[in-house]
Amino acid sequence: MVRARNVLPGWRRQCAVFLTLVALSAFVLDMAPCFAAVVTNAPAGAASDNTLPGRAWTNPLNVRTSDNIRAQASLTRTTGPTPASQYLKATNFSFNLPANSTVDGIVVGIERSGALAATFRDRSVKISKGGAIAGTEQASAEIWPTTATESNRWYGASNDLWGTAWTAADINAPDFGAAIAVTNYSANNNILAYVDYIRIAVYYSVPPSVNNDGGASNVTTSGAILNGQVSDWPSSPTAFFFWGPTD
């Protein structure tokens, strides 16, 4: 019989495993990792990035806090192409995932607004990996609110990797981040698009470690596989393991 129970609430959890086995029997348990977490950070750096040509952002470092002091792009309409911005790229999020973490998903939150209603839409929303704009397109067709009704928009999901593979080192790197560009799709002229705050939440899990409380031998792990052997016990031995992260 195998029983597992969560002993910590929420995203952080640990499991205790009890085994009742027949003497001289071997066991193999395939269990999902028992430790998962989500951490949300704000950036220390931001800049206008011309990977996508367009109007540059001014005061990009204003996206580091949610304080209504905003980065801005002037998207004046002319006789040329529809006015659109470069990427506003935020980086240096200071994540510190354990080296053996598995990245499960990434969510980006952006507080954005416009000087006038019914004027702006996302041009592009992507991730920054290794300093380069990358990943699947996450832009929304939603109309941006005005500054009077500024709101946060979440992009991605707890199981969304944005179309690319990740290691803990990728997430912890100072050039990991997020980028957004905006388009003025209206006939309004000489107006400003604003971004107040950019944050990133990273969902990750950590492979379990095993502390044998006695009664089993040759206990090993391989990913989420627990192997071992019980011998020289009474006819109905019970072994206890702590199955969770290494402290």
Side-chain angles (χ1 to χ4, degrees):
M1 177 177 65
V2 178
R3 292 182 288 124
R5 57 186 174 88
N6 287 336
V7 295
L8 290 178
W11 278 97
R12 297 183 179 273
R13 63 184 187 274
Q14 297 168 319
C15 295
V17 178
F18 302 86
L19 306 178
T20 302
L21 303 166
V22 177
L24 300 175
S25 66
F27 60 86
V28 177
L29 291 178
D30 185 356
M31 296 184 64
C34 285
F35 178 73
V38 57
V39 59
T40 304
N41 285 3
S48 193
D49 184 307
N50 64 2
T51 300
L52 197 61
R55 314 283 174 84
W57 291 84
T58 59
N59 302 312
L61 289 174
N62 287 347
V63 303
R64 293 177 295 179
T65 57
S66 178
D67 56 5
N68 294 332
I69 301 174
R70 306 171 176 96
Q72 61 186 44
S74 179
L75 301 183
T76 303
R77 178 166 288 282
T78 64
T79 57
T82 300
S85 77
Q86 298 178 357
Y87 280 117
L88 174 58
K89 183 170 74 172
T91 55
N92 291 289
F93 281 81
S94 301
F95 285 104
N96 189 27
L97 274 60
N100 62 340
S101 299
T102 297
V103 180
D104 300 315
I106 298 170
V107 178
V108 175
I110 303 177
E111 292 180 17
R112 73 280 190 275
S113 60
L116 295 175
T119 301
F120 298 112
R121 286 195 179 103
D122 295 346
R123 180 186 185 189
S124 179
V125 177
K126 290 195 173 185
I127 209 75
S128 173
K129 181 181 181 182
I133 306 297
T136 53
E137 183 59 69
Q138 301 277 352
S140 166
E142 291 178 6
I143 298 171
W144 284 24
T146 64
T147 52
T149 58
E150 178 183 86
S151 61
N152 179 78
R153 175 65 160 84
W154 292 106
Y155 302 86
S158 60
N159 61 351
D160 187 345
L161 295 176
W162 296 56
T164 188
W166 298 95
T167 66
D170 293 329
I171 300 295
N172 295 340
D175 52 13
F176 168 71
I180 184 169
V182 59
T183 295
N184 174 3
Y185 71 92
S186 74
N188 294 324
N189 191 34
N190 195 26
I191 51 176
L192 298 174
Y194 299 104
V195 173
D196 186 23
Y197 186 39
I198 298 177
R199 73 194 103 175
I200 297 181
V202 176
Y203 293 77
Y204 69 96
S205 53
V206 179
S209 62
V210 176
N211 295 317
N212 184 2
D213 231 18
S217 60
N218 302 319
V219 177
T220 61
T221 60
S222 176
I225 307 296
L226 174 65
N227 305 278
Q229 187 174 24
V230 176
S231 61
D232 299 327
W233 274 37
S235 59
S236 182
T238 300
F240 172 80
F241 297 90
F242 174 79
W243 182 267
T246 303
D247 295 325

